[in-house]
Amino acid sequence: MKAQPRGPFKKVMWFCNDGSVLPPKPYACREHGGGRQHGAYTERTSIMRDNGYYIANILAALDIEKVLQEPDFIDQYNQILIEKFLIQIDDGWIMRKAQFYRGAIQEENERDGARKLLTKLSTQKGWLTSRFLSLYSGVRLLAHGKDTASAQNIRQLSASLAEKDKGFLPLRVKIHGSPDAGDAALVRKYAKTVTDNAQYLLLADEIDQVYTAPDLSDALAAQAKIYSKAPWLQKWMRETAQTLEKDNSPENQYRTTGKALADIRDFLPEVKSPSARIQLLDLSLQVEAAHFASSTQLRKNIGQMHRKQRISLLQASALAAYGTGVINNRSYQQAAASIAKLDKSELNLTDYSEELRYLARVPGWGTQAMRFQFYTSMQKLGQIEPLVHLFIQDQLRGSPLLFFSQVLNGLTIDVNQLSGVKHSLFGKKIGVGFHALNPGLVRGTLYTDVSGENIASIQPDGIYVLPETVSDLPPLSGIITAGEGNPLSHVQLLARNLGIPNVTVNEDIIPELKKHNGQVIIMAVSPSGLVEISADNEKWRAFFGEAVKNKENVVIRPDLEKLDTTFNKCIDLTQLRATDSGRIVGPKAAKLGELKYIYPDKVANGVAIPFGVFHQSVLTKPYKGSSKTLFEWMTEQYAFLHSLQSDPVNHRQKTEAFRAELYDIILHSQLDPAFIDALRNSLEQTFGSTEIGVFVRSDTNVEDLPNFTGAGLNLTLPNVIGFDNLLAAVKQVWASPFTKRAFAWRQSHMEQPQYVYPSILLLRSVASDQSGVMVTADIDTGNQDILSVAVNEGVGGAVDGQSAESLRINRKDASVRVLATATAPTRRQPSPAGGLVELPVSGSDTLLQPEEIQQLIEFANELPKKFPSIVDDAGSPAPADVEFGFVQGQLNLFQIRPFLDNDAVQGTTYLMNMDKALQSSSSIRVNMNGVPKQ
């Protein structure tokens, strides 16, 4: 399409309002109710659009009332915006030549269609709240009135020029990384060396317009006249204009415009006219341009500013980020509270460092907000155009978070200089950009081009840059994520237990990582969150040659002395206690039985299928008609595989062949008729029916052990309905410990791998409004006064790696510190037909309500008094890891296990040395009126 003279179109036609499509001639639709002339799609374009690739969008052709009712409208709208981005940065993209095809696009009609669409969206409450960022992005990206220059146009035009002219690349890097008003002169100087320089001169003019701050006083005065029926708004506009006029210093301009952006967002719902709302948003773009221009002036002198001045700039940036939709109100309030703690004449270095570390989360919140709005659509279009993956990065670099990050980086470097510590990225010391989730020290090959579609290609010795942490990750050495997910998901808990380091990174770090794709690197993450990523060298090769790998200390040893495979009767959950864990059932059922005994109204009804049924139904049966039982064959195979360890290639091939055969045998095993009858009777007695929905949960003797969590390794089949479906599900769940992923994570840590016994918990389906995970301590510091909580809307919240509402709750006063708000775009709910359905989330920036938080605190406080001791492998008390849900505000409990850190990682000498400088921080006082050292 890029190469075709007509691009995605085959011809130009008239599209009449009565549905007629006529050849291009003057007034063709006059007798058909009017209409519009534009390009008609080729067959290939139509096929792609029918399959969800919304390319070659004609806004003039949108039937807005109809398209708003379509279930995929949000995806269509997102793809329209992403396509506009592609057209800007890629020399027209698929319209590269079609933009010169007369009649294919009618600019006047396109602007009219965009304005009608944006105006309609502004009438809907959701687009002024949870989808405000999308609306604001649409106002920015869709031409719907008078053209205005913007910082994004500059970056996009410079990127387009650099694609065609590699000599321009250094200037493009300058314009993207550290833009200022002097860039116009640099571009004009370069244009003199180019024969066809019209586009370069246009870029220079755009830069001049952006960095010549618009006269907001005139703009505000003009806008004030429009709002004669809103005197409060007129007053605000005039007062804001006066504030700007009285003091034209960059600091005052930056603070005033930052506040103005937040004010405009708050005013929008109070303005009743939809067209006036769009005009107000257009004004917001002008204010944003002035805000950006003043930030470039401030950047020149920021080295001379004292700490309190810089803190005030963070406040203005956070306000502006809220005003432009990049963070929500709750996130802004949390950032503002942290900034207020820094607004003092003197601070303890520990407090100074702690608050700046917290504020380093803010750019990540912006990333997650953009992902919430656009990521699903980016994944779709990204299948046909890799440039799509630059969209979020581009939008963020044009947002107030760019300057926020730059100011914060300087302050964090200040903290690191005072403390003697800093992050390191391939030899470069940086202040911000990393947020540590799990500590660890590994050496492995860096891979930066993995997506959700090729997860199966992940290698155990790889360190992977992932767009998000997904629930079905196979074994790997290190995780670097652009999307934080949440620190209490199953894969994060498993990684923490095994000492696998995991950090999240800001979008601007990823290009530097991509330069080292395929290279062996070192990734060190300290217990306090310091990050070092470096190239491999002789020193590190020697270190890892001598050091014990950080995962080898985890050895899975189920208690075989208490294992009872003779008990083979289905058992009601009310009959189980914690002491049955590892004896007749796994820890899920046993400990949930204990919880149901203590809290009968907080745990759903359930039935457990014990180890003995698996033993009797599968392991005692003959292996393929031979005289050996399946268990005897397994034992022989494991011994044979152990003998091949000196031949890794052969060992790997034979192991996989054995695993696949074992999985297939279990999956296709025949259930005993006596067991089927017994299960039917148990379901009738416990649930009153065999046709109700249950979660079929694997519950083995090799999980939730004192030194191994095994979180999320085995299968849970949600909301299975129908007895025949349940019988099939039983075999699937029995086989799940022997899937390739579960086997790989677990098997290298087992001393006697033949003793893996799955039981099954059948738990009545609960349609949770919110659900998540709670650890009864601060997972970063171990503080017992703090609860670590992650929660999402719907069922299965937080455990599968969704971007969750992540909180630290103080048990003493119920105060909450927000680490992230929930940005998963969908929620899961049980379907009456079985399984789960994906539904849109509410978009609320607050999920857990105060009364629900109080229930969690009360439960956590009661737990040590009522529940048997939760201990680690040394017998010491350990925090509890609890899966929970709320239904109409009432707490439900789904699982409890010990929360396990990896002691070897916490004690690694190298990582401990990284943190040494932090230990003396409490004695250092910081003069906030002082200027940081350069």
Side-chain angles (χ1 to χ4, degrees), residues 310-318 339 356 359 404 407-408 411:
R310 302 188 195 195
I311 297 301
S312 72
L313 296 180
L314 288 181
Q315 170 66 13
S317 296
I339 291 168
L356 289 181
L359 290 171
F404 181 96
V407 175
L408 184 64
L411 289 169

Side-chain angles (χ1 to χ4, degrees), residues 566-581:
T566 64
F567 186 90
N568 56 12
K569 293 181 172 58
C570 296
I571 184 169
D572 191 282
L573 190 60
T574 59
Q575 304 302 309
L576 290 170
R577 295 294 181 270
T579 52
D580 292 317
S581 176

Side-chain angles (χ1 to χ4, degrees), residues 680 682-692:
R680 183 182 285 109
S682 292
L683 296 177
E684 290 282 359
Q685 291 175 13
T686 299
F687 302 123
S689 170
T690 61
E691 302 300 311
I692 53 90

Side-chain angles (χ1 to χ4, degrees), residues 818-830:
V818 179
L819 304 189
T821 56
T823 53
T826 58
R827 59 186 171 90
R828 292 170 295 194
Q829 288 293 317

Side-chain angles (χ1 to χ4, degrees), residues 638-708:
Y638 281 123
F640 170 65
L641 294 172
H642 184 74
S643 71
L644 298 177
Q645 287 186 330
S646 60
D647 183 359
V649 174
N650 194 27
H651 179 267
R652 185 165 56 249
Q653 292 174 345
K654 292 291 196 297
T655 298
E656 173 54 20
F658 160 70
R659 180 210 63 78
E661 183 179 0
L662 179 58
Y663 176 84
D664 189 68
I665 290 171
I666 297 172
L667 186 63
H668 295 95
S669 57
Q670 296 297 313
L671 299 177
D672 293 333
F675 162 68
I676 294 173
D677 290 340
L679 178 61
R680 183 182 285 109
N681 291 335
S682 292
L683 296 177
E684 290 282 359
Q685 291 175 13
T686 299
F687 302 123
S689 170
T690 61
E691 302 300 311
I692 53 90
V694 294
F695 276 55
V696 185
R697 307 177 67 182
S698 177
D699 190 21
T700 72
N701 66 326
V702 289
E703 58 190 274
D704 296 357
L705 299 174
N707 69 334
F708 180 71

Side-chain angles (χ1 to χ4, degrees), residues 499-690:
I500 297 170
N502 181 198
V503 298
T504 66
V505 296
N506 292 350
E507 287 283 340
D508 54 358
I509 299 289
I510 293 177
E512 183 63 28
L513 292 169
K514 284 182 175 291
K515 295 177 184 177
H516 299 268
N517 183 42
Q519 298 177 12
V520 176
I521 68 165
I522 307 302
M523 180 177 175
V525 183
S526 79
S528 295
L530 295 176
V531 178
E532 177 183 341
I533 294 178
S534 60
D536 192 29
N537 55 36
E538 288 297 329
K539 179 192 78 170
W540 282 115
R541 285 191 283 274
F543 178 90
F544 279 94
E546 298 168 3
V548 177
K549 289 186 177 180
N550 59 14
K551 288 178 283 187
E552 290 182 354
N553 68 305
V554 176
V555 179
I556 303 172
R557 296 188 186 98
D559 187 345
L560 299 181
E561 290 188 6
K562 73 174 182 178
L563 178 66
D564 182 1
T565 59
T566 64
F567 186 90
N568 56 12
K569 293 181 172 58
C570 296
I571 184 169
D572 191 282
L573 190 60
T574 59
Q575 304 302 309
L576 290 170
R577 295 294 181 270
T579 52
D580 292 317
S581 176
R583 186 178 71 84
I584 57 175
V585 293
K588 285 189 185 76
K591 294 178 181 179
L592 202 57
E594 188 79 40
L595 283 175
K596 189 164 182 64
Y597 173 72
I598 302 169
Y599 302 101
D601 297 332
K602 289 182 170 60
V603 178
N605 290 336
V607 170
I609 302 173
F611 301 137
V613 175
F614 175 76
H615 179 79
Q616 182 183 45
S617 302
V618 178
L619 297 184
T620 61
K621 297 298 172 65
Y623 168 68
K624 292 187 175 180
S626 69
S627 59
K628 300 176 188 174
T629 65
L630 183 65
F631 183 80
E632 290 169 339
W633 171 76
M634 282 172 52
T635 303
E636 289 178 0
Q637 288 298 303
Y638 281 123
F640 170 65
L641 294 172
H642 184 74
S643 71
L644 298 177
Q645 287 186 330
S646 60
D647 183 359
V649 174
N650 194 27
H651 179 267
R652 185 165 56 249
Q653 292 174 345
K654 292 291 196 297
T655 298
E656 173 54 20
F658 160 70
R659 180 210 63 78
E661 183 179 0
L662 179 58
Y663 176 84
D664 189 68
I665 290 171
I666 297 172
L667 186 63
H668 295 95
S669 57
Q670 296 297 313
L671 299 177
D672 293 333
F675 162 68
I676 294 173
D677 290 340
L679 178 61
R680 183 182 285 109
N681 291 335
S682 292
L683 296 177
E684 290 282 359
Q685 291 175 13
T686 299
F687 302 123
S689 170
T690 61

Side-chain angles (χ1 to χ4, degrees), residues 713-725:
L713 281 186
N714 305 317
L715 185 64
T716 288
L717 290 173
N719 194 39
V720 175
I721 297 177
F723 190 69
D724 289 342
N725 293 332

Side-chain angles (χ1 to χ4, degrees), residues 21-237:
V21 180
L22 303 175
K25 65 178 183 178
Y27 312 110
C29 289
R30 177 182 290 172
E31 297 179 2
H32 297 272
R36 299 172 185 82
Q37 183 183 10
H38 56 75
Y41 296 137
T42 63
E43 182 181 4
R44 176 169 293 176
T45 305
S46 296
I47 290 172
M48 293 181 73
R49 289 182 62 85
D50 289 343
N51 283 275
Y53 300 94
Y54 294 108
I55 60 171
N57 294 283
I58 304 291
L59 297 179
L62 284 181
D63 182 338
I64 293 173
E65 294 296 336
K66 179 181 178 182
V67 77
L68 282 172
Q69 302 305 314
E70 293 177 4
D72 66 345
F73 166 70
I74 288 175
D75 185 32
Q76 290 188 52
Y77 174 80
N78 288 346
Q79 291 194 42
I80 288 171
L81 301 192
I82 295 169
E83 183 179 53
K84 291 296 183 186
F85 161 77
L86 291 172
I87 289 171
Q88 289 173 348
I89 70 158
D90 191 31
D91 193 23
W93 195 46
I94 61 172
M95 309 294 288
R96 185 168 296 173
K97 294 189 175 181
Q99 59 190 326
F100 304 109
Y101 178 33
R102 186 176 179 183
I105 299 291
Q106 302 289 341
E107 180 67 12
E108 183 179 348
N109 290 341
E110 286 300 289
R111 288 176 181 272
D112 182 58
R115 177 165 283 277
K116 287 178 179 177
L117 173 62
L118 295 170
T119 302
K120 182 65 177 179
L121 293 179
S122 76
T123 66
Q124 301 189 6
K125 182 180 177 182
W127 289 81
L128 299 181
T129 52
S130 61
R131 299 210 67 84
F132 175 77
L133 176 57
S134 280
L135 176 61
Y136 195 87
S137 299
V139 173
R140 177 188 287 120
L141 287 166
L142 301 179
H144 59 279
K146 182 180 178 182
D147 277 328
T148 57
S150 71
Q152 287 187 357
N153 286 340
I154 291 171
R155 291 194 319 282
Q156 291 158 358
L157 183 53
S158 67
S160 181
L161 288 170
E163 283 294 317
K164 296 180 289 185
D165 178 4
K166 299 306 180 186
F168 189 70
L169 189 59
L171 254 183
R172 185 256 194 197
V173 172
K174 164 69 170 63
I175 291 168
H176 279 236
S178 55
D180 59 48
D183 291 341
L186 295 175
V187 172
R188 289 191 177 97
K189 181 179 178 181
Y190 185 87
K192 293 178 180 178
T193 68
V194 180
T195 303
D196 184 6
N197 63 5
Q199 289 293 306
Y200 298 89
L201 295 176
L202 175 61
L203 173 60
D205 291 342
E206 290 276 298
I207 293 170
D208 281 339
Q209 290 185 58
V210 165
Y211 292 105
T212 301
D215 188 344
L216 278 182
S217 299
D218 291 344
L220 288 164
Q223 286 278 310
K225 295 176 182 177
I226 298 172
Y227 301 99
S228 58
K229 295 182 180 180
W232 55 274
L233 188 52
Q234 287 183 320
K235 180 182 178 184
W236 172 84
M237 289 179 176

